[in-house]
Amino acid sequence: RLGGDRAATRSELTKLAIHAGPGAEIDVDQARAVVGETAEIEADDAAMATALGDVPGLARALDRLDAEGASAVNVLRAAQRLFTRLHLCACHVAEGAEPGAAMAKLRPPVFWKQQDAYKRALRRLDHRALARALALLLSAERSAKSGLGRAGTLAAQRALYAIAGAQAARSRTAGLPR
């Protein structure tokens, strides 16, 4: 999550080190609060909220992204990355693998703090639902690229809310916990 700009990365790491102080330890949440450029993190949060059917969490993440002026295409691509990885896992699960074993095959590996969320998403989504979601995300990306200004953002939000809403409804009817 450090980004491609080495100077900006050094600057953010220096800021984090000053915030922590000599010999101190800092956890992931503290680092997220101190380090700038949270748009990528927020886009990942929006993607996971979508996969889990967490409509309120998606709304919060999209509000923060909108306030930061994040690109609709970047938000959709974050969702596409997550849903592609989940689809790969779901295909392995459909072939009989346990979710943990399916996740272990991913490269790069799933960050340890996201493993529970991945497993919850895999319990809710099969490979067919993930393929449909990916098609919707791709269509929304085309709309976002051809839309002017706010129209692109609205196309992205419509797609994410449609997927999250379907997940929430599926979870309620199946009696799955959030």
Side-chain angles (χ1 to χ4, degrees):
R1 298 202 191 268
L2 293 176
D5 184 344
R6 293 176 71 112
T9 297
R10 282 192 194 111
S11 174
E12 292 301 320
L13 289 173
T14 300
K15 181 169 55 172
L16 189 59
I18 290 169
H19 173 76
E25 290 186 22
I26 214 165
D27 66 21
V28 173
D29 292 328
Q30 291 169 320
R32 287 177 78 175
V34 172
V35 174
E37 295 298 320
T38 59
E40 182 181 342
I41 295 168
E42 295 294 344
D44 289 344
D45 290 346
M48 188 57 78
T50 301
L52 294 174
D54 179 6
V55 176
L58 174 60
R60 283 189 301 276
L62 289 176
D63 285 345
R64 289 189 300 259
L65 286 162
D66 195 38
E68 292 179 22
S71 159
V73 172
N74 288 344
V75 174
L76 288 167
R77 287 189 178 162
Q80 289 169 356
R81 279 190 305 273
L82 173 65
F83 278 74
T84 299
R85 289 170 58 85
L86 286 170
H87 187 261
L88 289 170
C89 288
C91 288
H92 290 301
V93 169
E95 294 170 352
E98 292 294 321
M103 288 169 30
K105 295 179 181 184
L106 292 177
R107 295 293 175 258
V110 177
F111 181 56
W112 66 270
K113 215 170 180 182
Q114 295 177 326
Q115 289 180 358
D116 287 340
Y118 262 74
K119 287 176 185 173
R120 283 196 321 270
L122 286 171
R123 281 194 297 272
R124 289 168 161 71
L125 293 158
D126 65 12
H127 62 94
R128 289 176 297 276
L130 286 160
R132 286 190 303 271
L134 282 164
L136 182 58
L137 291 169
L138 184 59
S139 175
E141 182 179 345
R142 279 193 298 268
S143 296
K145 286 179 177 178
S146 63
L148 299 174
R150 193 78 181 134
T153 300
L154 293 174
Q157 290 177 350
R158 248 190 325 272
L160 295 171
Y161 278 121
I163 296 166
Q167 283 310 104
R170 189 176 296 120
S171 295
R172 281 191 302 274
T173 58
L176 294 172
R178 282 185 116 201

